Amino acid sequence: MTNEQSEGNVAASASQPRSGWPLFEVFLRSKRGLNHVHVGSLHAADPQMALRHARDLYTRRNEGVSIWVVQAADITASSPDEKDPFFAPSGDKVYRHPTFYEIPDSVPHI
Amino acid sequence: MTGVTAESGGRATGTDAAAAGEARPDLGALERYFEDTIGSERRIEPRDWMPDAYRKTMIRQIAQHAHSEIIGMQPEGNWVTRAPSLRRKAILLAKVQDEAGHGLYLYSAAETLGADREDLTNRLITGQQKYSSIFNYPTLTFADVGVIGWLVDGAAICNQVPLCRSSYGPYARAMIRICKEESFHQRQGYELLLTMMRGTAAQREMVQDATNRWWWPSLMMFGPPDSESPNTEQSMRWRIKRHTNDELRQRFVDMTVPQAEALGVTLPDPQLRWNEARGHYDFGEVDWAEFKRVIAGNGPCNAQRIVNRRAAHDGGAWVREAAAAHAAKRKEAAA
């Protein structure tokens, strides 16, 4: 019915074997002074096309002044699961927070 | 730490969840954690463990929504070349482009659950997955463009605002983005109708005629009555649905009646009247037989919508192939 087969062959070396174009994650800087933030994803044949698609898809109303795209397959991720032991080391170190320390109210500016 | 893809690394997601399930055989604990997360109004994220039924239901819901946005470009796209002024044409183009954008946000949300983009497109053009029945009605005059913005997008907003709090994170985030943009859609439609109502008698008649044709199909957008919506209870428990179909339908009617009065059109329902005791408008029964007929594929434009979508997909095949070939060549040259 469609030509997906040949399309798949062209992109066979890419990371997304069943899809013609690989998946890119899109990050936007909404204005100067702020970090780039993840906003979503899209498919594109290459990074240049991904940038153009990201502009058309995610910045139709001046939502961004800068875009990053990165192929989804190139991202290394931890698990977002809050129970993940990966984040355990920071869980029991309350002394890293200023509120851990008791200072008399009479001491100013601290 | 595991070396898999980020949020939208869709296909890896399912496999990962399964692998995690194997490593931690206590399915009960996983299920409890899932229920707790939802119960405390936190979001489920792509790589969390989730019941298969939740994943399947979410994919179906998001895909159907995405397909609706994509097919929804056609009724209004029908008037792009015949818009009565450059201003109206620019607005209509921007709106149709937004619908495409909404479809793409949603497809990418579906992909975070392990759905495949090509597969979703194929399911749409082979009729295996549905889209909203509203888009199977024709747009006969330019007033239809206004009425679609006012009623159809108005109903969509009613449906979608609660979905910004869907328990599935990527869907909720896509809905927030979409709802912001829908507001423009509804307002441009209403303004278009106000302009026509200030015009000639023939223009006012066009607005009334379009309202007559779109009113009942708009009420159908909220789905079957609660008594015939068996999945509602589970969906409410999973917080992927926040209000029942009938609640949202009532809300839409209550919101719309004063807008119709301000516009100067009559909604085509003789039973429509304010009920002081309920604090809501009473309204007549939707023709559910028609709803079922259109869903089953026998609406005025079902076949045409799919033929067009398929033609666009097939016609674009050479572009997708050429771009992929070009990218491969450039990669080779760079290596």
Side-chain angles (χ1 to χ4, degrees), chain A residues 14-62:
Chain A
S15 56
Q16 313 275 330
R18 289 187 60 206
S19 183
W21 295 345
L23 190 67
F24 287 83
E25 299 294 338
V26 181
F27 300 78
L28 271 189
R29 184 199 297 289
S30 57
K31 62 180 186 183
R32 288 173 179 277
L34 297 179
N35 289 319
H36 285 76
V37 173
H38 181 249
V39 291
S41 62
L42 49 77
H43 290 274
D46 59 35
Q48 282 71 36
M49 182 192 267
L51 272 180
R52 278 197 204 102
H53 284 182
R55 179 198 60 192
D56 294 345
L57 186 55
Y58 291 105
T59 67
R60 287 196 302 284
R61 290 176 177 79
N62 302 315

Side-chain angles (χ1 to χ4, degrees), chain A residues 4 16 43 60-61 77-78, chain B residues 2 11 47 98 111 313:
Chain A
E4 299 320 327
Q16 313 275 330
H43 290 274
R60 287 196 302 284
R61 290 176 177 79
S78 72
Chain B
T2 47
R11 259 151 317 251
R47 297 179 59 241
D98 273 354
E111 283 177 285
H313 187 66

Side-chain angles (χ1 to χ4, degrees), chain B residues 302-316:
Chain B
N302 295 56
Q304 180 193 338
R305 300 293 186 234
I306 293 300
V307 164
N308 281 348
R309 180 68 193 90
R310 188 189 294 241
H313 187 66
D314 292 353

Side-chain angles (χ1 to χ4, degrees), chain A residues 46-92:
Chain A
D46 59 35
Q48 282 71 36
M49 182 192 267
L51 272 180
R52 278 197 204 102
H53 284 182
R55 179 198 60 192
D56 294 345
L57 186 55
Y58 291 105
T59 67
R60 287 196 302 284
R61 290 176 177 79
N62 302 315
E63 291 96 333
V65 295
S66 166
I67 304 175
W68 289 346
V69 293
V70 58
Q71 212 166 309
D74 289 339
I75 291 180
T76 305
S78 72
S79 164
D81 189 329
E82 282 175 51
K83 294 182 308 179
D84 197 308
F86 186 62
F87 296 104
S90 78
D92 59 353

Side-chain angles (χ1 to χ4, degrees), chain B residues 154-174:
Chain B
I157 290 171
C158 252
N159 261 331
Q160 291 171 0
V161 166
L163 295 177
C164 295
R165 293 184 296 129
S166 166
S167 64
Y168 188 58
Y171 187 46
R173 292 192 285 276

